[in-house]
Amino acid sequence: MSNTENINAVADVAVQAEESAGAATSSKSGKLTLLPLVALVVGSELGGGVFNLPHDASAAASPGAIILGWVITGIGVLALALVYQNLSMRKPELNAGPYAYARAGFGDFVGFSSAWGYWISAFLGNVSYAVAIFSALAFFFPVFGAGNNLVSVIGASICLWLLHTLVLRGVREAAFVNVITTIAKLAPLLLFIVLTLLAFNYDKFTFNFWGNATADGFEGLGSVMGQVKSTMLVTLWVFVGIEGASVFSGRAARRSDVGRATVIGFLATLAIYILVSLLSTGVLSQPELAGLKVPAMAYVLEPIAGKWGSGLINLGLVICVGGAFLSWTLLCAEIPYVCGKDGIFPRWFSAENAAGAPVNSLWMTNGLIQIFLILSLFASTAYQFFYSIATVAILPPYLFSGAYALKIALTGESYDENPRGRTKDLVIGLIATVYGVWMLYAAGPSFLLMMTILFAPGMVVYVLARRNAGEHARLFNVWEGLFALALIVAACVAGWLIYQGTISPF
């Protein structure tokens, strides 16, 4: 996962490096050309999720289904990336993130719901990061177990509140931290790809290719479509943050390079993800991969390279995800802070302290993270659960972004002065919208129902925000009222099903 501040910090380093090397970037000093833009896209997209891909992708899917899952995700996420790139040019006045597109296209309540989902996704993603960090540390210090035992939760809580204190004092992450974490990602990933490629067993890869074998210790994995659906949240999780690529627009020597860099960087990242997930299936069988703990990549490498290989992967994950934990601590607080300034959240969230830190937003956000860290004690697969809910929560912002791009392409809004590319943008918006709907279907009713429990309290916040803004008239139009009512009903149903034990949050 990535964020604007993280990207901008790395971009500053890239600009300085290019200038110090005497590169002729353009007539304007300090602008980025295609190559550093591609590097920035790759660095911002690669996150902690890649380190557990061998397990997560194979947990309920065969190699053939994994390939189909990546094809669907590749098309959908690329369309989504192009949507954000297109909207950044067609709607330059909307610069407050995905929720701004949802609000502009479909009204305040839909915009709020997108912002609320984005916030939930961000802080639950941070919870999953904390579990991943201490699960990796367990390789060196077994006392941390699976990353969500009492010792791990205490350790994660200490880290959380230390970062909280730093941010309250106005401290922001230094650019060199981002450079270190980027190197920490790429070095073990490239080593993993090379070693698993050398150890790749084609017969093991092709055996039970579609997951229908039931002999020799294998169990059938069900229909191919069901297997593909099982990979969807996994494959989208590793691309959460794709919207950050549009941040590069203002730093590019040529604006056209942004689109090229987005495509090239995305394809490079996609290639890494595909190689990591598929090469693993040529080293260990599907049941073996499904039984690995976080981070699975380390345990795939251990039979090939020994303890030093898995130790390197675990160390790389700790550094990489540790940097991401810092970045997303900042982002989590920034979302409600910006929304508070815009009037979508209550103004209380927009308060700053003397150091310019979003104090109220930070306290609320980190308080929620602390609560969910404690709840992780009761989860058997805490990392997978929290990233799954985080991924489902971000689906509304992504869906409405694609739908907004489709809407303005259909109506011709913002195409009067530059009508070129309208048909292409319509197709891209349609693909991104269909992908968003498909993802809601693939998430399944259990996760969607559990998500409504987190979304329903947001309506109280929305009403407070509207009252705070002096809007005492009707808060919802007819469609918004129906949507709000459906959300409340779904949350009540979810609560009842959890009480009955029909669905379980853990």
Side-chain angles (χ1 to χ4, degrees):
M1 301 173 75
S2 60
N3 62 68
T4 300
E5 295 186 17
N6 188 37
I7 293 169
N8 282 335
V10 182
D12 289 337
V13 174
V15 170
Q16 294 165 9
E18 210 173 15
E19 289 177 345
S20 65
T25 61
S26 72
S27 58
K28 297 180 180 180
S29 177
K31 294 292 185 177
L32 294 172
T33 51
L34 181 61
L35 185 59
L37 282 170
V38 170
L40 290 172
V41 173
V42 173
S44 67
E45 286 182 2
L46 283 174
V50 67
F51 289 91
N52 209 50
L53 260 182
H55 166 276
D56 293 339
S58 297
S62 60
I66 293 172
I67 292 173
L68 291 178
W70 281 119
V71 170
I72 295 172
T73 299
I75 294 171
V77 176
L78 179 58
L80 194 58
L82 294 176
V83 158
Y84 285 115
Q85 189 235 335
N86 175 51
L87 290 176
S88 71
M89 294 188 295
R90 296 287 180 183
K91 293 289 183 178
E93 72 277 10
L94 301 177
N95 53 12
Y99 98 88
Y101 301 134
R103 183 185 186 189
F106 307 102
D108 286 345
F109 184 61
V110 172
F112 167 83
S113 297
S114 292
W116 186 262
Y118 204 88
W119 185 38
I120 291 173
S121 176
F123 73 69
L124 288 185
N126 235 11
V127 176
S128 70
Y129 276 167
V131 174
I133 290 171
F134 283 89
S135 180
L137 285 172
F139 178 85
F140 307 102
F141 309 102
V143 67
F144 292 120
N148 65 319
N149 60 10
L150 181 60
V151 178
S152 297
V153 169
I154 292 173
S157 300
I158 292 172
C159 293
L160 172 68
W161 294 108
L162 283 175
L163 290 177
H164 176 90
T165 303
L166 288 175
V167 176
L168 282 179
R169 295 178 62 183
V171 175
R172 294 295 188 265
E173 74 268 41
F176 78 89
V177 172
N178 296 288
V179 174
I180 291 173
T181 57
T182 300
I183 295 172
K185 299 174 196 176
L186 291 176
L189 289 178
L190 294 177
L191 175 67
F192 178 87
I193 290 171
V194 171
L195 292 180
T196 52
L197 187 60
L198 293 174
F200 186 78
N201 186 312
Y202 180 76
D203 291 334
K204 183 171 289 188
F205 171 71
T206 55
F207 179 73
N208 202 27
F209 189 74
W210 294 109
N212 52 12
T214 57
D216 299 325
F218 287 87
E219 295 183 2
L221 297 173
S223 69
V224 173
M225 178 60 72
Q227 294 178 58
V228 171
K229 285 174 59 181
S230 76
T231 69
M232 288 291 95
L233 292 182
V234 177
T235 53
L236 180 59
W237 162 248
V238 294
F239 280 116
V240 168
I242 189 69
E243 70 280 358
S246 62
V247 174
F248 302 140
S249 299
R251 296 179 176 272
R254 292 183 301 177
R255 204 168 185 87
S256 60
D257 281 344
V258 175
R260 297 190 187 99
T262 298
V263 175
I264 295 171
F266 167 78
L267 291 176
T269 309
L270 178 63
I272 291 174
Y273 289 154
I274 292 174
L275 286 171
V276 167
S277 55
L278 290 181
L279 288 175
S280 300
T281 64
V283 177
L284 298 177
S285 67
Q286 185 273 329
E288 290 172 329
L289 291 170
L292 297 179
K293 66 177 185 177
V294 182
M297 188 184 292
Y299 300 99
V300 173
L301 198 60
E302 189 168 330
I304 303 171
K307 287 288 187 180
W308 72 266
S310 55
L312 178 63
I313 295 294
N314 278 286
L315 183 61
L317 182 145
V318 170
I319 297 173
C320 166
V321 182
F325 191 84
L326 169 61
S327 297
W328 279 81
T329 296
L330 295 164
L331 177 65
C332 290
E334 194 71 12
I335 295 168
Y337 166 72
V338 171
C339 291
K341 292 180 70 175
D342 288 349
I344 289 294
F345 278 31
R347 293 290 180 186
W348 179 84
F349 284 94
S350 65
E352 296 181 352
N353 64 9
V359 55
N360 291 345
S361 177
L362 192 67
W363 276 105
M364 178 63 74
T365 300
N366 287 343
L368 289 170
I369 292 174
Q370 180 65 74
I371 291 171
F372 280 96
L373 280 173
I374 294 172
L375 290 176
S376 73
L377 289 167
F378 306 99
S380 57
T381 55
Y383 172 75
Q384 284 81 5
F385 171 76
F386 285 114
Y387 86 62
S388 295
I389 292 293
T391 306
V392 173
I394 209 170
L395 292 181
Y398 284 173
L399 172 60
F400 288 122
S401 294
Y404 181 56
L406 177 61
K407 179 182 178 181
I408 66 172
L410 284 171
T411 61
E413 180 185 345
S414 301
Y415 285 85
D416 293 336
E417 297 181 2
N418 183 16
R420 294 181 59 187
R422 181 177 170 185
T423 301
K424 180 192 71 174
D425 294 343
L426 191 152
V427 172
I428 290 171
L430 178 62
I431 293 173
T433 303
V434 170
Y435 176 67
V437 174
W438 157 255
M439 283 302 305
L440 287 173
Y441 165 72
S446 294
F447 276 120
L448 290 177
L449 283 171
M450 286 187 285
M451 182 187 69
T452 62
I453 294 178
L454 296 175
F455 268 72
M459 280 184 286
V460 177
V461 178
Y462 177 73
V463 170
L464 291 174
R466 297 290 84 194
R467 297 301 188 198
N468 190 224
E471 299 184 13
H472 298 285
R474 188 172 63 176
L475 296 173
F476 305 98
N477 61 32
V478 174
W479 293 109
E480 289 174 340
L482 290 174
F483 176 54
L485 179 62
L487 195 62
I488 293 173
V489 171
C492 292
V493 170
W496 175 254
L497 291 176
I498 290 173
Y499 174 76
Q500 291 290 313
T502 306
I503 61 175
S504 174
F506 300 116

